[in-house]
Amino acid sequence: MNNAIYASRKRGDKIVKALCYAAAIFGVGWLCLILYTLLANGLAGLSLRIFTEMTPPPGAHDGGLLNAIVGSLIMTVIGVGIGTPIGLFAGTWLAEYGRHSQLTNVIRFVNDILLSAPSIIIGLFIYGAIVVPMGGFSGFAGAIALAVIVIPVVVRTTEDMLLLVPLPLREAASALGLPRAYVITRIAYKAARSGLITGILLATARVAGETAPLLFTALSNQFWSLNLGGTMANLPVTINNFVNNPDPNWKQLAWTGALLITVSVLTLNIVARVLGAERKPK
Amino acid sequence: MSDMAIDTPRAAAEPAFDRAKALSAFKLGDATFYWLTRASAILVLLMLGGIIISLIIGAWPAMRAFGFEFLWTQRWAPSAHPTPVLGALGPIYGTILTSFIAMLIAVPVGLGIAIFLTELCPPFLKQPIAIAVELLAGIPSIIYGMWGFFVLGPFLADTFEPAIVSAFENVPILNTLFAGPASNLSLFNASLVLSIMILPFITAISRDVFATVPPVLKEAAYGIGCTTWEVVKNVVLPYTRVGVIGGVMLALGRALGETMAVTFIIGNSFRISSSLFAPGTTISAAIASEFAESDGVHQSALILLGLLLFVLTFCVLTAARLMLRRLEKRAGA
């Protein structure tokens, strides 16, 4: 009797353990499968012309992704450039000045909502707030849309990292007569530096592959354009437009572009994680 | 002492450095910095307000034209004469159904991986597996879309779905749920890809909350002879219930709003079909595929869809955050 109970408990345990192992293999398996597909399809088209030639018209046999890569870089840099200081300052206020204020709770909550808001909603917002008043799609609108996505990520990590800075550090600086702003910028920022950089890198990784908010803000185009006031070529939307096309050259370019985006995003992620992990043992 | 005497000339010159001026510069810098940070913090609030207001303004013409009918009309005919007929039932159904199926798959698997990581995994594998799962979250959603469209879709349509269809051919309800013909573009494919995408969120949060269980509790349970599964079922899960549900809701919020991956593989059909293997659409997919070429009431209706999606995710995320916050408070107390 007792033995039967033991056996069934043991069996249950074994089954669940096996399922957990299977789940872990399942999770890691997808990553490997996706990376394998990307490498297999993307590497075939990877050559120097990807970085030196413009996106080709349909039917052509050459061409690269230069304008799309440059457009993506420009919009990402501007988006992160606008979003980072705002997010950094907002996170600073939450962690340093507003630590005990009621407003902080509200802002933190709103920020969490923005952090997980669907990115297509951000696209609709920028369409209504910038594209329509400005009279057309523009690279500028795309950059702002990316900035709106960057801000909550940076706010969150900045606040978390500043809250980790020990209070005595600030007290010591204050006791030396340093004004609050200097205590924060010279002491707290320095102590939290690697964490802050991690946050910015993660935010960059997050927006580097964003497609949905660019679909109707920056749109995309097929030529070299550095004009932020007009439509701007970018990698994600170019992939989106090329991949469903029967033209094999376009499809190949889309796969290569996808490989480029994924590799850069994953690299950013790993660098951010390494930087973030360096902090912990101390 | 003598050093100071030697430096007397310099000490005398010191007052030329205007103390009051320096202090006022400090004060100005301090105030500027304070207001700069405060304004940025308030900008975050304004952003949410801006999103809501701009969506309402954009959606207003559609709200006036369709009213509440919009919610339960299935027909989506932007070019119908004399007036376009637009209804949100198809996208709403698709959004909720795909998210629901994705959760059905991702919640047990995500929890399984979290349990594996906290209870079963040999230490040297812990970090690599955790990182691998989190990298899944980093892959841009358009990549999932391409992969689902070119790799997963054909596999499901050629092997998996016909097998399921024939297996349930004679079972009453299931044979309408799993009806052919199998297609590369279907609600089921979209759900499966969604489940892979939200897996990392569930795993990461559950692992974090599992780590908050005091080791003493687990040790006590192991000490009286519990198996690993019994410890997880009777100690870890009850202790972390609120946090796990919060994480699951957070993942649900993601699933509801996921756009590009779904747009690629769901087939963009506004008709509601009883079969899971038939094409459908979701709110975000409808917006992504039609918005750039829309105008007038059609565009406004798409913005109204966006507003509905925002309200839906807002509710889910609010619930998630409240639950996670409750857990944080308990951990802090």
Side-chain angles (χ1 to χ4, degrees):
Chain A
M1 173 61 203
N2 255 344
N3 277 339
I5 293 178
Y6 285 140
S8 86
R9 282 177 58 199
K10 231 177 181 172
R11 205 166 42 238
D13 190 47
K14 271 201 181 129
I15 292 172
V16 172
K17 272 186 185 165
L19 286 177
C20 288
Y21 275 96
I25 294 169
F26 182 82
V28 178
W30 288 123
L31 183 69
C32 299
L33 259 177
I34 292 174
L35 290 182
Y36 168 75
T37 315
L38 272 177
L39 286 173
N41 288 302
L43 279 181
L46 197 60
S47 65
L48 200 61
R49 69 181 167 96
I50 297 289
F51 304 98
T52 55
E53 290 177 28
M54 304 296 146
T55 46
H61 291 288
D62 52 356
L65 294 164
L66 176 64
N67 50 341
I69 293 173
V70 170
S72 263
L73 281 179
I74 292 176
M75 277 191 278
T76 307
V77 167
I78 296 180
V80 174
I82 295 175
T84 301
I86 297 178
L88 206 60
F89 285 142
T92 306
W93 194 83
L94 294 182
E96 298 285 341
Y97 292 110
R99 204 177 274 203
H100 304 291
S101 133
Q102 200 56 45
L103 186 62
T104 304
N105 285 328
V106 178
I107 294 179
R108 193 179 292 142
F109 178 75
V110 166
N111 190 63
D112 281 349
I113 297 284
L114 287 175
L115 191 66
S116 335
S119 58
I120 192 144
I121 301 287
I122 309 289
L124 284 180
F125 163 53
I126 297 299
Y127 180 85
I130 295 183
V131 175
V132 171
M134 272 184 38
F137 302 110
S138 66
F140 174 71
I144 298 290
L146 296 184
V148 172
I149 296 172
V150 166
I151 290 172
V153 183
V154 177
V155 170
R156 185 67 198 262
T157 46
T158 304
E159 194 200 351
D160 286 351
M161 290 304 141
L162 286 179
L163 287 178
L164 285 180
V165 175
L167 222 46
L169 268 185
R170 298 193 185 91
E171 286 161 359
S174 289
L176 290 174
L178 220 51
R180 191 95 181 254
Y182 289 76
V183 174
I184 295 168
T185 51
R186 301 283 161 80
I187 309 293
Y189 279 178
K190 242 177 209 159
R193 193 174 53 198
S194 67
L196 298 181
I197 295 175
T198 303
I200 295 166
L201 287 178
L202 284 179
T204 313
R206 170 102 191 261
V207 296
E210 274 294 353
T211 319
L214 296 179
L215 279 176
F216 30 83
T217 51
L219 217 61
S220 192
N221 60 33
Q222 292 276 45
F223 45 87
W224 178 256
S225 133
L226 294 179
N227 175 17
L228 278 175
T231 59
M232 197 170 213
N234 59 84
L235 215 37
V237 179
T238 303
I239 294 173
N240 184 47
N241 295 342
F242 278 17
V243 80
N244 282 317
N245 201 283
D247 184 346
N249 187 36
W250 273 21
K251 196 172 268 179
Q252 182 57 55
L253 282 174
W255 276 112
T256 310
L259 178 67
L260 287 179
I261 287 192
T262 310
V263 167
S264 43
V265 167
L266 292 188
T267 312
L268 276 171
N269 261 308
I270 292 172
V271 170
R273 252 163 247 290
V274 170
L275 272 180
E278 256 173 20
R279 237 189 104 68
K280 273 175 196 154
K282 277 181 199 168
Chain B
M1 257 336 205
S2 59
D3 287 352
M4 277 184 87
I6 293 166
D7 261 357
T8 314
R10 217 176 97 190
E14 205 71 356
F17 167 74
D18 191 344
R19 204 184 172 84
K21 212 169 164 187
L23 273 181
S24 80
F26 266 169
K27 244 184 199 159
L28 183 71
D30 218 23
T32 315
F33 190 73
Y34 175 78
W35 285 107
L36 205 60
T37 56
R38 197 185 164 109
S40 303
I42 288 174
L43 188 71
V44 173
L45 279 185
L46 294 181
M47 256 162 50
L48 184 74
I51 290 176
I52 295 172
I53 291 170
S54 88
L55 286 180
I56 291 179
I57 291 175
W60 187 244
M63 282 198 246
R64 293 247 328 242
F66 305 116
F68 281 106
E69 295 258 319
F70 188 71
L71 290 177
W72 44 81
T73 306
Q74 201 196 127
R75 188 149 175 246
W76 183 269
S79 45
H81 284 288
T83 50
V85 183
L86 298 164
L89 196 61
I92 292 176
Y93 167 81
T95 304
I96 292 174
L97 185 74
T98 49
S99 301
F100 178 72
I101 301 174
M103 299 308 286
L104 274 189
I105 302 170
V107 170
V109 176
L111 287 180
I113 300 179
I115 293 171
F116 175 79
L117 285 174
T118 49
E119 303 290 329
L120 302 172
C121 185
F124 72 95
L125 267 179
K126 229 176 216 177
Q127 206 57 23
I129 292 184
I131 289 178
V133 172
E134 277 170 35
L135 284 185
L136 269 179
I139 297 178
S141 105
I142 189 169
I143 309 293
Y144 281 100
M146 288 173 72
W147 182 76
F149 184 77
F150 288 108
V151 181
L152 188 67
F155 167 75
L156 289 176
D158 296 340
T159 3
F160 182 75
E161 288 173 10
I164 298 280
V165 170
S166 60
F168 292 115
E169 215 160 11
N170 301 316
V171 187
I173 296 166
L174 293 179
N175 64 0
T176 51
L177 206 54
F178 301 115
S183 133
N184 279 0
L185 307 168
S186 77
L187 286 164
F188 180 78
N189 295 4
S191 312
L192 191 57
V193 171
L194 266 184
S195 74
I196 302 169
M197 298 183 70
I198 58 177
L199 197 59
F201 295 99
I202 297 177
T203 302
I205 293 182
S206 335
R207 194 198 48 194
D208 289 350
V209 296
F210 285 173
T212 63
V213 179
V216 182
L217 283 185
K218 284 197 281 188
E219 283 157 12
Y222 280 121
I224 57 168
C226 285
T227 59
T228 309
W229 166 233
E230 283 161 352
V231 171
V232 169
K233 188 178 63 174
N234 299 320
V235 177
V236 176
L237 284 179
Y239 189 86
T240 55
R241 197 182 54 225
V242 182
V244 169
I245 296 175
V248 166
M249 303 277 270
L250 212 58
L252 178 61
R254 288 272 161 171
L256 288 171
E258 187 43 59
T259 310
M260 290 320 292
V262 175
T263 309
F264 267 84
I265 43 188
I266 199 157
N268 292 317
S269 148
F270 283 80
R271 276 198 44 203
I272 295 176
S273 164
S274 61
S275 168
L276 289 181
F277 296 155
T281 194
T282 67
I283 294 179
S284 48
I287 300 172
S289 52
E290 296 197 0
F291 194 83
E293 286 115 42
S294 64
D295 51 13
V297 178
H298 182 199
Q299 186 171 67
S300 175
L302 288 170
I303 297 179
L304 182 52
L305 275 180
L307 184 63
L308 288 176
L309 175 66
F310 190 66
V311 171
L312 199 63
T313 47
F314 189 91
C315 296
V316 170
L317 293 174
T318 306
R321 291 295 173 186
L322 289 180
M323 285 178 148
L324 287 173
R325 185 140 302 165
R326 225 172 78 189
L327 191 82
E328 261 166 38
K329 251 185 206 151
R330 200 174 65 183

